[in-house]
Amino acid sequence: METNFGYIDENYRRILDGIEEAKAKYRNPSDEITCMAVTKTVAPEAVNHAIGCGIQVLGENRVQEYLSKKALYLPQARMHFIGHLQTNKVKYIIEDMELIHSVDSIRLATEINRHAERVQKVQDILIEVNVGGEASKSGVTPDQLEELLYQVAEMPHIHVKGLMTIPPVEGDEKFLFEMQKLYLDISAKKMDNIDMEILSMGMSGDYVAAIRYGSTLVRIGSALFGARKYV
């Protein structure tokens, strides 16, 4: 097992510099932008090194992988679930997750609400939007977003904190702009039990552009840990 993780320190500094440069160019200095470490296929030792560098939020993609690694993580990290979440897997993660990013249906929201009630918590979530209308991706369509928000807002054990998207690679900035507009439009409606505090968009290849278009949380995997190792 590799134990020399100095490259993570260098990568993290480079990412933070990129975030600060993007803020200086496009945003207010006081804007807070969270850098999440995406841990898919990454060894717990490397994840813990990143936590030691200053990473505070981990993004988990797969329930089974998370369950196999969670006991090995340093305890101060906050857990977010960012992958596609099956309804029958909600029960395994509901107690651990600060935020679930990938809610895209009333069926999934209902199951999260049910298990959150069971463990006596109000679960913070983001609604995932398929801003590019791609068949290969999860997410509610932009024209169905408001209806889903109104339905989820009725659930007592769920609190919507914002929106999440993974835009198409082609035409990326156009879709980032569309997502920012959608986020601002929903914010202006001031819907009950709906807060637009978080806009989660931007990954290793496009986080600077995402910050330009209002992202408050970027999800960084390969730019932090190197190319993903498939096992």
Side-chain angles (χ1 to χ4, degrees), residues 73-222:
Y73 289 153
L74 292 173
Q76 63 264 39
R78 290 144 42 205
M79 298 295 168
H80 290 195
F81 195 83
I82 61 175
H84 178 66
L85 181 58
Q86 297 172 296
T87 53
N88 64 344
K89 300 285 182 68
V90 172
K91 60 188 174 185
Y92 299 114
I93 66 164
I94 193 69
E95 292 186 77
D96 298 341
M97 294 299 151
E98 176 184 81
L99 187 66
I100 298 174
H101 288 227
S102 47
V103 180
D104 63 352
S105 69
I106 194 65
R107 183 168 172 262
L108 177 56
T110 299
E111 195 68 0
I112 292 171
N113 185 69
R114 184 171 76 85
H115 284 291
E117 181 178 17
R118 175 178 60 81
V119 301
Q120 299 183 313
K121 73 181 287 193
V122 175
Q123 178 64 58
D124 289 336
I125 69 166
L126 305 180
I127 299 296
E128 181 175 3
V129 181
N130 188 343
V131 70
E134 295 176 282
S136 61
K137 288 180 182 172
S138 303
V140 64
T141 61
D143 62 334
Q144 295 173 325
L145 172 61
E146 198 166 326
E147 180 184 355
L148 180 58
L149 284 168
Y150 277 117
Q151 290 176 309
V152 173
E154 298 295 318
M155 298 183 181
H157 291 273
I158 284 181
H159 183 202
V160 177
K161 300 277 282 187
L163 306 177
M164 184 270 260
T165 196
I166 303 172
V169 175
E170 298 297 324
D172 190 41
E173 292 210 17
K174 179 185 84 166
F175 293 109
L176 292 169
F177 173 76
E178 288 182 14
M179 194 66 198
Q180 181 185 38
K181 185 176 184 301
L182 196 60
Y183 177 78
L184 293 173
D185 287 348
I186 294 295
S187 299
K189 293 180 188 296
K190 300 191 183 302
M191 299 161 67
D192 289 344
N193 198 31
I194 304 291
D195 288 325
M196 289 291 113
E197 296 177 8
I198 299 170
L199 178 54
S200 172
M201 63 181 188
M203 298 185 288
S204 291
D206 65 350
Y207 70 92
V208 170
I211 291 168
R212 176 180 182 178
Y213 292 101
S215 177
T216 67
L217 189 156
V218 294
R219 308 180 298 270
I220 309 295
S222 60

Side-chain angles (χ1 to χ4, degrees), residues 26-41:
Y26 304 119
R27 302 280 290 275
N28 294 321
S30 59
D31 287 356
E32 287 191 20
I33 297 167
T34 300
C35 178
M36 166 197 288
V38 177
T39 64
K40 185 178 178 182
T41 76

